[in-house]
Amino acid sequence: MKKYIFVTGGVCSSLGKGIAASSLGSILESRSLRVRMIKVDPYINVDAGTMSPYQHGEVYVTDDGAETDLDLGNYARFTSTPLSKDNSITTGQIYDAVIKKEREGRYLGKCVQVVPHITDEIKRRIRTIGNSPDVDVTIVEIGGTVGDIESIPYLEAVRQLIHDLGHNNALSVHLTLIPTVSGGEAKTKPTQHSVKSMREIGIQPDVLLCRADEPVPPEMKKKISQFTNIDYDAVISAHNINSTLYAIPEIYSEQGLDEVVCKKLELDTKKPNLKDWKRVRSSYENAKVTANIAFVGKYIELSDAYKSVDEALIHGGIANNAKVNIVKIDAEYIETQKDLSAVFKDIDGIVIPGGFGERGILGMIQTAKYSRENKIPTFGICLGMQVMVIEWARNILKLEKADSAEFKPEGDTNVIALLEDQVDITDYGGTMRLGLSESVLKTGTKIHEAYGSNNIWERHRHRLEVSNDYKDDLEKSGLIISGTTPDGNLVESVEWPDNPWGVGVQAHPEFTSQPIKAGPLFVKFIEESLKYGKKTK
Ligand code: GLN
């Protein structure tokens, strides 16, 4: 029988439901179970692709080019479960599908309603994944907080699914908060109320994960258990830790989370094998050196806007037994600074990440110039690579007006241009170059050295490309075109000559980096940054 776990959140948002669901997924995988992860989002957008990073954090891209919620990135970092567009469900998609069926007359004259038609569509999508032959456990994370108007249809679908499947096949895991009030006392009341809200909807949580400042003591667990009808050993302390997030699977498992889940779901499995997570934790906790990485981007006020890049840099650190100190610098701030050596003092490496729109571009170009001239290890990702090319064209090719068609649509020196099939796009959802594609790498280049391979596959999310009109001039003037698409038509990566490590890539290698297997470019970038730091300090 297929097993399902529904992860909900109570009390308030941002408690880390995605990390909790992913950590549970990773422990179950370590018990040799075949896990799938689904994120359900109550917003009306069909996908996260058209949302501003300021609103919703990073857009995570899957192999098949789905633009999804950033929680899928957590699933990808903690587990090895395959992710595609089917693993990200939004209210927009559900209504879109139901309305299409209604227009096709497939409801045979019935009045189409939230229950059963919307809830049936939600259940169908969840079970399509859960019923696949190679799946044992499907973990479904319900976005939002219990009590939100938007999540009601989803919780109703969960209630029905638990009833349909039976309590030995479907489990409710609820994440709540135990706040500390002034005077330092931890309070269980919000948790009691949150479980009460769940029960009012008809769902009795089976497992409670309690976010708290300090480990939740046994007496408090006992009290919570009594008030919520949840077994004592199913009340788990999800307290703050002074380590990496990647220690969480181990911390949950030590408290018996997976034992409780497997017992309740009648899963007879091996003991968990968390040796990879232990290694990651120990490398993080015992790191003796630090790489100070300047991150010159656009959306830096919101910590989740570049989530996968931040995490991939940390993975690069773990691989080098180093801590990574990410110093976020607003690209617009750079534009106001006369002396960049003061800004980048004590910096060991510079990342210029992806982004959209002209704001801050000049600051990124100034950053690229400074780091190229000063031979600081530099990693340009997507927009960051395009900026490296513009900077090179302006300062080495002396094309003063070199630019991107994204910022100067009428410009006559656009070294970054739109492909023909992108010129007349008016429908902005899902129409970029999206998802996995292949690059062929030039031997002897830094990127080739990092991957140790002639052909690599990474995920893309961009509209513009290096213009082939300028490719020869760029190469002749010394810029190394280190990777192209197999047909040679599109530039996939560039490198600065005579630099210890100045690499730009059009793709987003951050999406596939994991703490237990860091993306090769992040490993090399941190390695080079550490070397640079040692030399210059
Ligand atoms: N705005 C650029 C483009 O669309 C870069 C996109 C990105 O950095 N993801 O090509």
Short mmCIF file of all heavy atoms in Angstrom, two decimals, residues 279-293 311-325 348 377 379 449-450 501 513-532 534:
data_model
loop_
_atom_site.label_atom_id
_atom_site.label_comp_id
_atom_site.label_asym_id
_atom_site.label_seq_id
_atom_site.Cartn_x
_atom_site.Cartn_y
_atom_site.Cartn_z
N ARG A 279 28.46 13.54 8.12
CA ARG A 279 29.69 14.08 7.53
C ARG A 279 29.52 15.57 7.23
O ARG A 279 30.38 16.40 7.55
CB ARG A 279 30.02 13.29 6.25
CG ARG A 279 31.18 13.86 5.46
CD ARG A 279 31.51 13.04 4.21
NE ARG A 279 30.41 12.87 3.26
CZ ARG A 279 30.01 13.80 2.41
NH1 ARG A 279 30.59 14.97 2.39
NH2 ARG A 279 29.02 13.55 1.55
N VAL A 280 28.37 15.93 6.63
CA VAL A 280 28.11 17.33 6.28
C VAL A 280 28.12 18.19 7.55
O VAL A 280 28.75 19.24 7.62
CB VAL A 280 26.74 17.44 5.56
CG1 VAL A 280 26.27 18.89 5.50
CG2 VAL A 280 26.84 16.87 4.14
N ARG A 281 27.44 17.68 8.57
CA ARG A 281 27.35 18.44 9.82
C ARG A 281 28.74 18.64 10.43
O ARG A 281 29.10 19.74 10.83
CB ARG A 281 26.44 17.68 10.79
CG ARG A 281 26.28 18.38 12.11
CD ARG A 281 25.37 17.59 13.03
NE ARG A 281 25.09 18.33 14.25
CZ ARG A 281 24.27 17.90 15.18
NH1 ARG A 281 23.63 16.74 15.04
NH2 ARG A 281 24.06 18.61 16.27
N SER A 282 29.51 17.56 10.45
CA SER A 282 30.82 17.65 11.09
C SER A 282 31.74 18.57 10.28
O SER A 282 32.48 19.38 10.85
CB SER A 282 31.36 16.24 11.27
OG SER A 282 32.68 16.16 10.95
N SER A 283 31.66 18.50 8.95
CA SER A 283 32.52 19.37 8.15
C SER A 283 32.13 20.83 8.39
O SER A 283 33.00 21.70 8.50
CB SER A 283 32.39 18.98 6.67
OG SER A 283 32.62 20.07 5.86
N TYR A 284 30.84 21.09 8.53
CA TYR A 284 30.39 22.46 8.78
C TYR A 284 30.83 22.93 10.17
O TYR A 284 31.39 24.02 10.33
CB TYR A 284 28.87 22.52 8.66
CG TYR A 284 28.31 23.91 8.88
CD1 TYR A 284 28.14 24.79 7.81
CD2 TYR A 284 27.96 24.34 10.16
CE1 TYR A 284 27.66 26.07 8.01
CE2 TYR A 284 27.47 25.62 10.37
CZ TYR A 284 27.32 26.48 9.29
OH TYR A 284 26.83 27.73 9.50
N GLU A 285 30.60 22.07 11.15
CA GLU A 285 30.88 22.51 12.53
C GLU A 285 32.36 22.62 12.83
O GLU A 285 32.78 23.40 13.67
CB GLU A 285 30.18 21.56 13.53
CG GLU A 285 28.66 21.75 13.53
CD GLU A 285 27.91 20.79 14.44
OE1 GLU A 285 28.57 19.93 15.07
OE2 GLU A 285 26.67 20.88 14.49
N ASN A 286 33.17 21.82 12.11
CA ASN A 286 34.60 21.82 12.41
C ASN A 286 35.42 22.67 11.45
O ASN A 286 36.66 22.63 11.50
CB ASN A 286 35.13 20.39 12.42
CG ASN A 286 34.45 19.58 13.52
OD1 ASN A 286 34.28 20.07 14.63
ND2 ASN A 286 34.01 18.38 13.19
N ALA A 287 34.76 23.40 10.57
CA ALA A 287 35.50 24.20 9.59
C ALA A 287 36.39 25.21 10.30
O ALA A 287 35.95 25.91 11.22
CB ALA A 287 34.52 24.92 8.68
N LYS A 288 37.65 25.26 9.87
CA LYS A 288 38.60 26.16 10.55
C LYS A 288 38.83 27.44 9.75
O LYS A 288 39.34 28.41 10.27
CB LYS A 288 39.96 25.44 10.71
CG LYS A 288 39.89 24.17 11.55
CD LYS A 288 40.19 24.48 13.01
CE LYS A 288 40.17 23.26 13.89
NZ LYS A 288 38.96 22.42 13.84
N VAL A 289 38.52 27.40 8.46
CA VAL A 289 38.77 28.60 7.63
C VAL A 289 37.44 29.14 7.11
O VAL A 289 36.43 28.43 7.07
CB VAL A 289 39.69 28.27 6.43
CG1 VAL A 289 41.12 28.12 6.87
CG2 VAL A 289 39.20 27.02 5.71
N THR A 290 37.47 30.40 6.69
CA THR A 290 36.26 31.03 6.18
C THR A 290 36.56 31.71 4.85
O THR A 290 37.58 32.39 4.72
CB THR A 290 35.74 32.10 7.18
OG1 THR A 290 35.46 31.45 8.41
CG2 THR A 290 34.47 32.78 6.68
N ALA A 291 35.65 31.52 3.89
CA ALA A 291 35.75 32.27 2.63
C ALA A 291 34.75 33.42 2.70
O ALA A 291 33.56 33.19 2.93
CB ALA A 291 35.44 31.35 1.45
N ASN A 292 35.24 34.64 2.54
CA ASN A 292 34.36 35.81 2.55
C ASN A 292 33.96 36.12 1.11
O ASN A 292 34.78 36.54 0.30
CB ASN A 292 35.09 37.01 3.14
CG ASN A 292 35.36 36.80 4.61
OD1 ASN A 292 34.46 36.52 5.39
ND2 ASN A 292 36.64 36.88 5.00
N ILE A 293 32.69 35.88 0.82
CA ILE A 293 32.22 36.02 -0.56
C ILE A 293 31.29 37.22 -0.70
O ILE A 293 30.25 37.29 -0.03
CB ILE A 293 31.47 34.74 -1.00
CG1 ILE A 293 32.36 33.49 -0.84
CG2 ILE A 293 30.95 34.87 -2.43
CD1 ILE A 293 33.62 33.48 -1.66
N GLU A 311 22.80 28.63 -0.78
CA GLU A 311 23.01 27.26 -0.27
C GLU A 311 24.16 26.58 -1.01
O GLU A 311 24.99 25.91 -0.41
CB GLU A 311 21.73 26.43 -0.39
CG GLU A 311 20.62 26.87 0.56
CD GLU A 311 21.02 26.83 2.03
OE1 GLU A 311 21.62 25.85 2.46
OE2 GLU A 311 20.73 27.82 2.75
N ALA A 312 24.19 26.78 -2.35
CA ALA A 312 25.25 26.12 -3.14
C ALA A 312 26.63 26.63 -2.71
O ALA A 312 27.61 25.87 -2.69
CB ALA A 312 25.02 26.36 -4.63
N LEU A 313 26.73 27.92 -2.34
CA LEU A 313 28.01 28.44 -1.86
C LEU A 313 28.39 27.74 -0.54
O LEU A 313 29.55 27.38 -0.33
CB LEU A 313 27.92 29.96 -1.65
CG LEU A 313 27.84 30.79 -2.93
CD1 LEU A 313 27.45 32.24 -2.61
CD2 LEU A 313 29.17 30.76 -3.69
N ILE A 314 27.38 27.54 0.30
CA ILE A 314 27.64 26.83 1.57
C ILE A 314 28.09 25.38 1.27
O ILE A 314 29.01 24.87 1.90
CB ILE A 314 26.39 26.88 2.47
CG1 ILE A 314 26.16 28.33 2.91
CG2 ILE A 314 26.52 25.95 3.69
CD1 ILE A 314 24.84 28.60 3.58
N HIS A 315 27.46 24.77 0.27
CA HIS A 315 27.88 23.40 -0.10
C HIS A 315 29.34 23.41 -0.56
O HIS A 315 30.11 22.51 -0.22
CB HIS A 315 27.03 22.85 -1.26
CG HIS A 315 25.55 22.87 -1.01
ND1 HIS A 315 24.61 22.77 -2.01
CD2 HIS A 315 24.84 22.97 0.13
CE1 HIS A 315 23.40 22.83 -1.50
NE2 HIS A 315 23.51 22.95 -0.20
N GLY A 316 29.69 24.44 -1.35
CA GLY A 316 31.07 24.57 -1.80
C GLY A 316 32.00 24.68 -0.60
O GLY A 316 33.11 24.13 -0.58
N GLY A 317 31.55 25.39 0.43
CA GLY A 317 32.33 25.51 1.66
C GLY A 317 32.48 24.16 2.34
O GLY A 317 33.59 23.76 2.72
N ILE A 318 31.38 23.45 2.47
CA ILE A 318 31.40 22.13 3.14
C ILE A 318 32.41 21.21 2.43
O ILE A 318 33.20 20.52 3.07
CB ILE A 318 29.97 21.52 3.17
CG1 ILE A 318 29.12 22.31 4.18
CG2 ILE A 318 30.00 20.03 3.50
CD1 ILE A 318 27.64 22.03 4.13
N ALA A 319 32.39 21.26 1.09
CA ALA A 319 33.31 20.40 0.32
C ALA A 319 34.76 20.77 0.58
O ALA A 319 35.67 19.95 0.41
CB ALA A 319 32.98 20.50 -1.17
N ASN A 320 35.00 22.03 0.96
CA ASN A 320 36.37 22.49 1.22
C ASN A 320 36.67 22.61 2.71
O ASN A 320 37.64 23.27 3.10
CB ASN A 320 36.60 23.86 0.57
CG ASN A 320 36.79 23.76 -0.93
OD1 ASN A 320 37.80 23.27 -1.39
ND2 ASN A 320 35.81 24.20 -1.70
N ASN A 321 35.81 22.02 3.54
CA ASN A 321 35.93 22.14 5.00
C ASN A 321 36.05 23.59 5.45
O ASN A 321 36.89 23.94 6.29
CB ASN A 321 37.14 21.35 5.52
CG ASN A 321 36.92 19.88 5.35
OD1 ASN A 321 35.84 19.37 5.67
ND2 ASN A 321 37.90 19.20 4.78
N ALA A 322 35.26 24.44 4.83
CA ALA A 322 35.34 25.88 5.14
C ALA A 322 33.96 26.44 5.41
O ALA A 322 32.95 25.94 4.89
CB ALA A 322 35.97 26.61 3.95
N LYS A 323 33.92 27.49 6.21
CA LYS A 323 32.69 28.25 6.37
C LYS A 323 32.63 29.27 5.24
O LYS A 323 33.67 29.71 4.74
CB LYS A 323 32.70 29.00 7.70
CG LYS A 323 32.47 28.10 8.90
CD LYS A 323 31.37 28.68 9.81
CE LYS A 323 30.78 27.64 10.74
NZ LYS A 323 31.69 26.88 11.56
N VAL A 324 31.44 29.64 4.85
CA VAL A 324 31.30 30.66 3.82
C VAL A 324 30.54 31.82 4.42
O VAL A 324 29.43 31.65 4.94
CB VAL A 324 30.56 30.10 2.58
CG1 VAL A 324 30.33 31.21 1.56
CG2 VAL A 324 31.36 28.96 1.96
N ASN A 325 31.16 32.98 4.39
CA ASN A 325 30.52 34.18 4.90
C ASN A 325 30.05 35.00 3.69
O ASN A 325 30.87 35.54 2.96
CB ASN A 325 31.54 34.95 5.76
CG ASN A 325 31.02 36.29 6.19
OD1 ASN A 325 29.81 36.47 6.38
ND2 ASN A 325 31.91 37.26 6.32
N ASP A 348 37.22 37.54 -0.52
CA ASP A 348 38.04 36.50 -1.14
C ASP A 348 37.51 36.07 -2.50
O ASP A 348 38.22 35.42 -3.28
CB ASP A 348 38.09 35.26 -0.23
CG ASP A 348 38.54 35.62 1.18
OD1 ASP A 348 39.41 36.50 1.31
OD2 ASP A 348 37.99 35.04 2.14
N PRO A 377 38.85 35.95 -7.63
CA PRO A 377 38.00 34.87 -8.14
C PRO A 377 36.56 35.37 -8.28
O PRO A 377 36.01 35.98 -7.36
CB PRO A 377 38.11 33.78 -7.07
CG PRO A 377 39.43 34.04 -6.43
CD PRO A 377 39.63 35.53 -6.47
N PHE A 379 32.53 34.62 -10.00
CA PHE A 379 31.59 33.64 -10.53
C PHE A 379 30.33 34.39 -10.98
O PHE A 379 29.60 34.96 -10.16
CB PHE A 379 31.25 32.65 -9.39
CG PHE A 379 30.51 31.42 -9.82
CD1 PHE A 379 30.23 31.16 -11.16
CD2 PHE A 379 30.06 30.51 -8.86
CE1 PHE A 379 29.55 30.02 -11.53
CE2 PHE A 379 29.38 29.36 -9.22
CZ PHE A 379 29.12 29.11 -10.56
N GLU A 449 37.78 21.78 -16.12
CA GLU A 449 38.52 21.23 -14.98
C GLU A 449 37.55 20.95 -13.82
O GLU A 449 37.63 19.90 -13.16
CB GLU A 449 39.60 22.23 -14.56
CG GLU A 449 40.50 21.70 -13.46
CD GLU A 449 41.25 22.83 -12.75
OE1 GLU A 449 41.15 24.00 -13.16
OE2 GLU A 449 41.91 22.51 -11.74
N ALA A 450 36.62 21.87 -13.59
CA ALA A 450 35.70 21.71 -12.46
C ALA A 450 34.80 20.47 -12.65
O ALA A 450 34.62 19.67 -11.74
CB ALA A 450 34.84 22.96 -12.28
N TRP A 501 40.53 32.70 -11.50
CA TRP A 501 39.26 32.00 -11.68
C TRP A 501 38.13 33.03 -11.93
O TRP A 501 37.54 33.54 -10.99
CB TRP A 501 38.92 31.16 -10.43
CG TRP A 501 38.08 29.96 -10.74
CD1 TRP A 501 38.53 28.74 -11.11
CD2 TRP A 501 36.65 29.88 -10.70
NE1 TRP A 501 37.48 27.88 -11.31
CE2 TRP A 501 36.30 28.55 -11.06
CE3 TRP A 501 35.62 30.77 -10.41
CZ2 TRP A 501 34.99 28.10 -11.14
CZ3 TRP A 501 34.31 30.33 -10.48
CH2 TRP A 501 34.01 29.01 -10.84
N SER A 513 22.91 21.70 -6.91
CA SER A 513 23.94 21.49 -5.89
C SER A 513 23.32 20.94 -4.60
O SER A 513 22.26 21.39 -4.18
CB SER A 513 24.64 22.82 -5.61
OG SER A 513 25.64 22.64 -4.64
N GLN A 514 23.99 19.99 -4.00
CA GLN A 514 23.49 19.41 -2.74
C GLN A 514 24.59 19.46 -1.68
O GLN A 514 25.77 19.39 -2.03
CB GLN A 514 23.12 17.94 -2.95
CG GLN A 514 21.90 17.72 -3.81
CD GLN A 514 21.57 16.24 -3.89
OE1 GLN A 514 22.45 15.43 -4.14
NE2 GLN A 514 20.31 15.91 -3.69
N PRO A 515 24.22 19.51 -0.41
CA PRO A 515 25.26 19.53 0.62
C PRO A 515 26.12 18.27 0.57
O PRO A 515 27.33 18.33 0.83
CB PRO A 515 24.48 19.61 1.93
CG PRO A 515 23.09 19.21 1.60
CD PRO A 515 22.87 19.57 0.17
N ILE A 516 25.50 17.14 0.23
CA ILE A 516 26.30 15.91 0.21
C ILE A 516 27.03 15.74 -1.14
O ILE A 516 27.90 14.90 -1.26
CB ILE A 516 25.47 14.65 0.56
CG1 ILE A 516 24.23 14.54 -0.29
CG2 ILE A 516 25.10 14.63 2.00
CD1 ILE A 516 23.40 13.30 0.02
N LYS A 517 26.66 16.56 -2.10
CA LYS A 517 27.38 16.53 -3.39
C LYS A 517 27.29 17.92 -4.01
O LYS A 517 26.39 18.22 -4.79
CB LYS A 517 26.74 15.47 -4.31
CG LYS A 517 27.58 15.10 -5.47
CD LYS A 517 26.98 13.89 -6.19
CE LYS A 517 27.88 13.38 -7.30
NZ LYS A 517 28.16 14.36 -8.35
N ALA A 518 28.24 18.76 -3.63
CA ALA A 518 28.19 20.16 -4.06
C ALA A 518 28.40 20.31 -5.56
O ALA A 518 29.13 19.51 -6.17
CB ALA A 518 29.26 20.94 -3.30
N GLY A 519 27.77 21.32 -6.14
CA GLY A 519 27.96 21.61 -7.56
C GLY A 519 29.44 21.88 -7.82
O GLY A 519 30.07 22.64 -7.09
N PRO A 520 30.02 21.27 -8.89
CA PRO A 520 31.47 21.38 -9.14
C PRO A 520 31.97 22.81 -9.22
O PRO A 520 33.06 23.12 -8.72
CB PRO A 520 31.66 20.67 -10.48
CG PRO A 520 30.48 19.80 -10.66
CD PRO A 520 29.35 20.41 -9.89
N LEU A 521 31.20 23.73 -9.82
CA LEU A 521 31.68 25.11 -9.94
C LEU A 521 31.74 25.79 -8.58
O LEU A 521 32.60 26.64 -8.33
CB LEU A 521 30.80 25.90 -10.89
CG LEU A 521 30.93 25.53 -12.37
CD1 LEU A 521 29.89 26.26 -13.21
CD2 LEU A 521 32.34 25.82 -12.89
N PHE A 522 30.82 25.43 -7.70
CA PHE A 522 30.82 26.03 -6.36
C PHE A 522 32.01 25.51 -5.55
O PHE A 522 32.63 26.25 -4.78
CB PHE A 522 29.49 25.77 -5.65
CG PHE A 522 28.36 26.52 -6.32
CD1 PHE A 522 27.60 25.92 -7.31
CD2 PHE A 522 28.09 27.83 -5.98
CE1 PHE A 522 26.59 26.62 -7.96
CE2 PHE A 522 27.08 28.54 -6.61
CZ PHE A 522 26.33 27.93 -7.60
N VAL A 523 32.34 24.23 -5.74
CA VAL A 523 33.49 23.66 -5.04
C VAL A 523 34.76 24.40 -5.46
O VAL A 523 35.56 24.84 -4.64
CB VAL A 523 33.63 22.15 -5.35
CG1 VAL A 523 34.86 21.56 -4.65
CG2 VAL A 523 32.38 21.39 -4.95
N LYS A 524 34.92 24.56 -6.78
CA LYS A 524 36.14 25.19 -7.31
C LYS A 524 36.20 26.67 -6.94
O LYS A 524 37.26 27.20 -6.60
CB LYS A 524 36.18 25.04 -8.84
CG LYS A 524 36.82 23.76 -9.26
CD LYS A 524 38.33 23.88 -9.11
CE LYS A 524 38.98 22.51 -9.24
NZ LYS A 524 40.34 22.50 -8.69
N PHE A 525 35.05 27.34 -7.05
CA PHE A 525 35.02 28.78 -6.74
C PHE A 525 35.45 29.02 -5.30
O PHE A 525 36.27 29.89 -5.01
CB PHE A 525 33.62 29.34 -7.01
CG PHE A 525 33.43 30.75 -6.54
CD1 PHE A 525 34.21 31.79 -7.02
CD2 PHE A 525 32.46 31.05 -5.58
CE1 PHE A 525 34.04 33.10 -6.58
CE2 PHE A 525 32.28 32.36 -5.13
CZ PHE A 525 33.08 33.38 -5.62
N ILE A 526 34.92 28.22 -4.38
CA ILE A 526 35.30 28.41 -2.97
C ILE A 526 36.76 28.04 -2.76
O ILE A 526 37.49 28.73 -2.06
CB ILE A 526 34.35 27.61 -2.03
CG1 ILE A 526 32.90 28.10 -2.16
CG2 ILE A 526 34.83 27.69 -0.58
CD1 ILE A 526 32.64 29.54 -1.71
N GLU A 527 37.19 26.96 -3.42
CA GLU A 527 38.60 26.56 -3.30
C GLU A 527 39.52 27.71 -3.74
O GLU A 527 40.48 28.07 -3.05
CB GLU A 527 38.83 25.32 -4.19
CG GLU A 527 40.17 24.67 -4.05
CD GLU A 527 40.35 23.55 -5.07
OE1 GLU A 527 39.42 22.72 -5.23
OE2 GLU A 527 41.40 23.53 -5.73
N GLU A 528 39.20 28.31 -4.89
CA GLU A 528 40.02 29.42 -5.41
C GLU A 528 39.92 30.64 -4.51
O GLU A 528 40.89 31.37 -4.31
CB GLU A 528 39.59 29.78 -6.84
CG GLU A 528 39.89 28.72 -7.87
CD GLU A 528 41.38 28.51 -8.08
OE1 GLU A 528 42.16 29.46 -7.86
OE2 GLU A 528 41.78 27.38 -8.44
N SER A 529 38.73 30.89 -3.97
CA SER A 529 38.55 32.05 -3.08
C SER A 529 39.40 31.87 -1.82
O SER A 529 40.02 32.81 -1.33
CB SER A 529 37.08 32.22 -2.70
OG SER A 529 36.31 32.43 -3.85
N LEU A 530 39.43 30.65 -1.31
CA LEU A 530 40.24 30.39 -0.11
C LEU A 530 41.71 30.62 -0.41
O LEU A 530 42.44 31.22 0.38
CB LEU A 530 40.01 28.95 0.39
CG LEU A 530 38.65 28.68 1.04
CD1 LEU A 530 38.41 27.18 1.17
CD2 LEU A 530 38.53 29.36 2.40
N LYS A 531 42.14 30.17 -1.61
CA LYS A 531 43.54 30.37 -2.01
C LYS A 531 43.85 31.86 -2.10
O LYS A 531 44.88 32.34 -1.62
CB LYS A 531 43.77 29.76 -3.41
CG LYS A 531 44.22 28.32 -3.39
CD LYS A 531 44.73 27.96 -4.78
CE LYS A 531 44.23 26.59 -5.18
NZ LYS A 531 44.23 26.34 -6.61
N TYR A 532 42.92 32.58 -2.75
CA TYR A 532 43.12 34.02 -2.92
C TYR A 532 43.20 34.70 -1.55
O TYR A 532 44.06 35.55 -1.31
CB TYR A 532 41.96 34.60 -3.74
CG TYR A 532 42.01 36.09 -3.92
CD1 TYR A 532 42.75 36.65 -4.96
CD2 TYR A 532 41.31 36.94 -3.06
CE1 TYR A 532 42.81 38.04 -5.12
CE2 TYR A 532 41.37 38.32 -3.21
CZ TYR A 532 42.11 38.87 -4.23
OH TYR A 532 42.17 40.22 -4.39
N LYS A 534 44.13 33.46 1.27
CA LYS A 534 45.37 33.11 1.96
C LYS A 534 46.53 33.97 1.45
O LYS A 534 47.36 34.45 2.21
CB LYS A 534 45.69 31.64 1.67
CG LYS A 534 46.17 30.88 2.87
CD LYS A 534 46.20 29.43 2.51
CE LYS A 534 46.95 28.63 3.51
NZ LYS A 534 47.02 27.24 3.06
#
